[in-house]
Amino acid sequence: MPRVHLKVEIGADDDNWLAGVSTDFSDTEFKILATHPVDDGVLELVEVTTPDEDAIVRRFDDASEVRSYEVLHSDEGMVLIQLVFPMPSTYEARRATGNLPRLPLVIRDGWISGELIGLQEQLSEFTTALAAADIPYEIVSVTQSYDAGGLLTERQQEVITEAVEHGYYDSPRGCTLIELAEKMGVNQSAASGVLHRAEGRIIKEFIA
């Protein structure tokens, strides 16, 4: 399933009020570590990396959007804040349709970045919608995840794991096929056959 690391320019509206703060403090990074709906809104845990902790905390004091907040930890250049703010109008809809991005999310200078995982069609629809709404975005990277458990049999996975752990695929090799077979308590022919079939499956899946 594709994983897309995406950056999207955001406006300072009720769905992302931190955007305005991030543009005012362009050298500050807001990392959303956790988010959870509560009775009076949404609770978020935010790690703020900033050269001016006091100014950031004062900004939280002045923010009408923040119903409550607590500084959990403060260190040189970093503040960990737990806050509650009103439920964004689109939050429940995004959660119901499974379109919430994976945490953590990073907000910096009016841009939010994070990872989305979904079917290629879903991700394509999302970026098409961004383009149609004239919302600037940037695809940082695209990777493909695989279910290794469904690729190899349990025995093949066991033998491949042993081979890797004992340096069979290192250069130079950490052990020979004979030594690997001895460590696993099987004969050389059996070890070779399992490795060959497992390697064939891995290579074919990679090429596909």
Side-chain angles (χ1 to χ4, degrees):
M1 187 169 289
R3 296 170 178 257
V4 178
H5 184 190
L6 194 69
K7 286 178 61 178
V8 180
E9 188 174 25
I10 51 179
D13 57 26
D14 64 333
D15 278 356
N16 40 59
W17 64 272
L18 272 177
V21 183
S22 73
T23 54
D24 291 342
F25 296 87
S26 59
D27 56 351
T28 293
E29 179 181 277
F30 300 84
K31 183 181 291 185
I32 302 174
L33 302 177
T35 180
H36 184 72
V38 292
D39 291 340
D40 55 346
V42 175
L43 181 147
E44 283 191 349
L45 183 64
V46 182
E47 180 185 281
V48 186
T49 303
T50 177
D52 195 345
E53 302 100 303
D54 293 338
I56 290 294
V57 173
R58 287 196 301 270
R59 185 62 179 262
F60 275 75
D61 278 330
D62 298 337
S64 60
E65 300 89 346
V66 178
R67 288 181 172 168
S68 64
Y69 81 90
E70 178 183 0
V71 176
L72 302 180
H73 179 74
S74 180
D75 204 347
E76 184 176 354
M78 190 276 285
V79 183
L80 187 63
I81 300 177
Q82 177 178 286
L83 64 146
V84 176
F85 58 91
M87 177 72 71
S89 59
T90 61
Y91 183 91
E92 285 296 344
R94 294 200 306 266
R95 188 173 67 157
T97 58
N99 283 325
L100 290 176
R102 290 166 58 91
L103 297 174
L105 296 174
V106 174
I107 298 176
R108 191 181 184 103
D109 197 17
W111 288 75
I112 185 167
S113 64
E115 185 179 71
L116 296 174
I117 298 179
L119 298 175
Q120 185 172 344
E121 294 79 6
Q122 293 173 317
L123 298 175
S124 178
E125 288 174 3
F126 180 69
T127 54
T128 299
L130 291 176
D134 291 326
I135 298 175
Y137 71 92
E138 175 186 344
I139 296 177
V140 179
S141 64
V142 179
T143 56
Q144 180 76 36
S145 60
Y146 296 95
D147 179 11
L151 178 62
L152 303 179
T153 66
E154 184 176 342
R155 180 58 173 168
Q156 288 170 346
Q157 193 164 349
E158 178 187 358
V159 174
I160 284 286
T161 300
E162 287 285 338
V164 171
E165 289 179 350
H166 289 96
Y168 178 74
Y169 292 106
D170 293 350
S171 182
R173 290 190 189 275
C175 73
T176 65
L177 180 60
I178 295 175
E179 291 170 337
L180 179 63
E182 289 176 350
K183 292 178 186 295
M184 300 193 65
V186 298
N187 62 52
Q188 180 181 350
S189 177
S192 176
V194 175
L195 280 178
H196 180 72
R197 288 189 294 273
E199 291 163 354
R201 288 191 176 192
I202 292 171
I203 291 171
K204 289 176 182 177
E205 179 68 16
F206 176 78
I207 295 300

